[in-house]
Amino acid sequence: MSSTTTDRTGPADLAGPTDRAEPAGPAAPADLAALAERAGRELEEATPQEVLRWAADTFGRRFCVTSSMEDAVVAHLAASVSPGVDVVFLDTGYHFAETIGTRDAVAATMPVNVITLTPLRTVAEQDAEHGPRLHDRDPDLCCALRKVEPLNRGLGGYDAWATGLRRDESPTRANTPVVSWDPKRRKVKIAPIARWTQQDVDAYVAANGVLLNPLLWEGYTSIGCSPLSCTRKPGEGEDARAGRWSGSGKTECGIHL
């Protein structure tokens, strides 16, 4: 089991068992970019476990998994090949109680180290500066302040990060590489389940008893912040992410742009 750590910006003082090799230090961005390009080609047909083992072996403690706590699939996969792996969660201050509960359950029951990142300002402080319900009036700015900036800050001590993006989730994610170069953050970005379908995810969850956010059982298919302008249940025939920022034309929070 592991402890949840709040408002961390890197893994330097992280506690917890690991048998991963320690890289000498951060690699040069040019070297990382070339590595990502090569790995993207060579690992396209690899299993998620093989992709994650490559990441853990290559980057050691300078590798982490990010999770929205919609489910614990990627965290579970990573822990199966690299116990003690860092799992980074963004607490925006607007999450459903079920999402925070899923994070706490992951931290308490899985061999991972959950790190909770928080924005620079509380919701009340943001309201005082920008006015209330910024998520309704300017969702891009709200996401930038409460998601993108904390993640950029929190990934500072890593060379590579893994995400649960899948190609079947939406048209905007249809070309997601398994391994790629993240030029904005100058890090290697890994999507180990990019080639999986929802059926693959469901099968893995059933076979391994993986933790799921309870909201999935209530009809949500993509879970973000709790205001209705951010997350609603999709209608019949809509894609899995249709309930995110519904009616605004916004399709991504900015983390994956």
Side-chain angles (χ1 to χ4, degrees):
M1 295 190 295
S2 64
S3 60
T4 300
T5 308
T6 301
D7 201 19
R8 288 282 302 281
T9 59
D13 60 348
L14 189 63
T18 179
D19 57 2
R20 284 177 279 169
E22 293 294 337
D31 295 336
L32 288 174
L35 176 66
E37 182 179 358
R38 183 172 68 252
R41 295 192 305 268
E42 295 177 351
L43 295 173
E44 169 63 21
E45 300 297 326
T47 67
Q49 291 90 338
E50 290 169 339
V51 174
L52 289 162
R53 185 178 297 281
W54 167 83
D57 289 346
T58 301
F59 302 105
R61 297 300 290 176
R62 299 190 67 83
F63 165 69
C64 71
V65 172
T66 58
S67 177
S68 66
M69 296 301 166
E70 183 175 299
D71 60 52
V73 169
V74 175
H76 189 278
L77 284 161
S80 72
V81 300
S82 184
V85 66
D86 294 351
V87 175
V88 174
F89 170 72
L90 294 170
D91 185 352
T92 66
Y94 282 118
H95 280 304
F96 292 94
E98 290 87 345
T99 300
I100 299 300
T102 302
R103 176 205 61 184
D104 294 344
V106 168
T109 64
M110 291 177 57
V112 298
N113 192 71
V114 174
I115 298 172
T116 295
L117 304 177
T118 56
L120 294 173
R121 292 172 177 79
T122 65
V123 170
E125 290 168 342
Q126 179 175 293
D127 288 350
E129 181 173 352
H130 296 282
R133 302 189 67 82
L134 182 63
H135 46 77
D136 290 348
R137 295 179 289 104
D138 192 342
D140 286 339
L141 178 58
C142 192
C143 285
L145 295 173
R146 311 208 70 78
K147 290 187 175 183
V148 179
E149 188 284 329
L151 181 65
N152 291 348
R153 177 164 34 93
L155 291 180
Y158 301 97
D159 287 333
W161 61 297
T163 175
L165 292 177
R166 298 198 326 269
R167 295 170 185 169
D168 74 334
E169 290 180 300
S170 68
T172 60
R173 299 183 173 187
N175 297 315
T176 299
V178 173
V179 181
S180 61
W181 175 240
D182 180 348
K184 290 185 178 179
R185 299 179 180 88
R186 296 161 71 86
K187 301 182 188 301
V188 177
K189 184 177 180 179
I190 300 156
I193 62 171
R195 296 190 301 115
W196 273 15
T197 64
Q198 184 62 55
Q199 289 71 32
D200 294 323
V201 172
D202 293 343
Y204 185 84
V205 167
N208 295 278
V210 177
L211 285 165
L212 296 176
N213 190 313
L215 292 173
L216 294 174
W217 302 112
E218 297 181 19
Y220 290 89
T221 54
S222 181
I223 302 166
C225 293
S226 60
L228 186 60
S229 60
C230 302
T231 306
R232 67 163 174 81
K233 298 177 186 179
E236 186 176 353
E238 291 184 315
D239 70 53
R241 290 182 59 80
R244 302 295 297 279
W245 309 287
S246 180
S248 70
K250 181 177 172 67
T251 59
E252 296 283 351
C253 67
I255 287 174
H256 300 298
L257 296 177

